[in-house]
Amino acid sequence: MMTTKETGSESGRDTRMCGDPKTWFPMRVTYQREMKVKAELDRLGIENFVPMRYKVVESQNDGDMELRRVLVPAISNLIFVRSTQERLSELKRRNEVLEPLRYMMDYTASQEHAIMTVADGEMENFMRVASRTDDSVIFLDNETVVGKEGKCVEIMGGAFEGVTGVIRRVKRCKRVVVEIDGVASVAIAWVPAGMLKEIG
């Protein structure tokens, strides 16, 4: 799981009610510098998350071509950062490695030029699924998840117990999809119907 915690923070708990002003910011990183930016955030002790997946690539070994699996960012140019807007903006100005970070705008908000944020609980739910690097999850693009909104469900057992999502048809199969609206979507490859409880 490619996530790092800022000193004093605890993942999975909304601490803003306890006076913690930090929140999650989904951010774009130009020119696929996600891992370089992540390494610098790790060095500074700032909590962050980059969804990862394995990809099969060709490489040359003693003149022969061979296939190998490498871990790469699952969603190009995206990193989630948990901090305050003030600190992030200051770091973007002062730190050359973090300058490529770009806020994502929330065009559904009532106020103009609103920066997109993700609540701690929603982010924890997403990370429970998106931190998996095996074949149990499928990262989706916008075209893949086009369709009617399905039932909201909670998974009642197994490795994803407690995760909430939406039933959507993905590659002709109904799957539980966990979404951060306008940012990222990940589907669970298979959940027995008996483990699903309709909610909402």
Side-chain angles (χ1 to χ4, degrees):
M1 176 173 172
M2 300 295 290
T3 181
T4 304
K5 296 179 182 178
E6 186 166 356
T7 304
S9 71
E10 182 179 341
S11 182
R13 184 166 65 92
D14 190 343
T15 54
R16 283 171 292 173
M17 296 300 290
C18 306
D20 185 347
K22 294 189 292 292
T23 190
W24 283 99
F25 293 88
M27 305 188 79
R28 294 295 181 196
V29 185
T30 57
Y31 303 113
Q32 298 182 326
R33 288 179 279 191
E34 309 96 315
M35 302 313 293
K36 184 177 180 180
V37 167
K38 176 178 173 49
E40 181 66 4
L41 291 169
D42 289 349
R43 187 185 71 81
L44 295 170
I46 297 175
E47 188 175 2
N48 64 86
F49 176 66
V50 177
M52 306 290 289
R53 66 179 177 88
Y54 278 101
K55 180 181 180 180
V56 176
V57 299
E58 286 186 346
S59 63
Q60 198 161 12
N61 184 18
D62 293 330
D64 296 326
M65 294 301 293
E66 62 179 25
L67 298 178
R68 60 190 182 94
R69 295 174 79 229
V70 295
L71 203 56
V72 299
I75 304 169
S76 295
N77 303 319
L78 177 68
I79 185 170
F80 295 89
V81 185
R82 188 174 186 272
S83 187
T84 65
Q85 184 180 339
E86 291 76 13
R87 186 175 187 198
L88 276 176
S89 295
E90 181 182 3
L91 286 171
K92 278 167 45 61
R93 286 194 302 269
R94 296 174 177 267
N95 188 310
E96 185 178 348
V97 178
L98 301 183
E99 190 279 332
L101 282 169
R102 298 290 181 265
Y103 291 112
M104 295 180 67
M105 307 310 294
D106 184 358
Y107 297 106
T108 66
S110 55
Q111 72 179 93
E112 202 173 344
H113 306 302
I115 290 173
M116 188 179 290
T117 61
V118 182
D120 283 3
E122 184 181 5
M123 192 66 204
E124 175 66 16
N125 187 62
F126 178 76
M127 288 193 296
R128 283 278 312 278
V129 181
S131 62
R132 299 291 290 263
T133 57
D134 54 27
D135 294 336
S136 64
V137 300
I138 306 164
F139 287 92
L140 308 173
D141 55 36
N142 290 335
E143 289 75 20
T144 311
V145 295
V146 168
K148 292 183 179 178
E149 210 169 291
K151 297 176 181 177
C152 293
V153 295
E154 179 179 353
I155 300 174
M156 305 305 293
F160 297 105
E161 182 175 6
V163 168
T164 59
V166 178
I167 298 293
R168 293 195 186 277
R169 191 170 293 278
V170 179
K171 297 181 179 179
R172 299 185 179 181
C173 296
K174 288 185 178 179
R175 306 185 192 275
V176 177
V177 176
V178 178
E179 303 170 323
I180 295 180
D181 193 31
V183 180
S185 302
V186 60
I188 300 172
W190 185 74
V191 181
M195 286 188 180
L196 299 179
K197 174 187 174 184
E198 189 172 347
I199 58 174

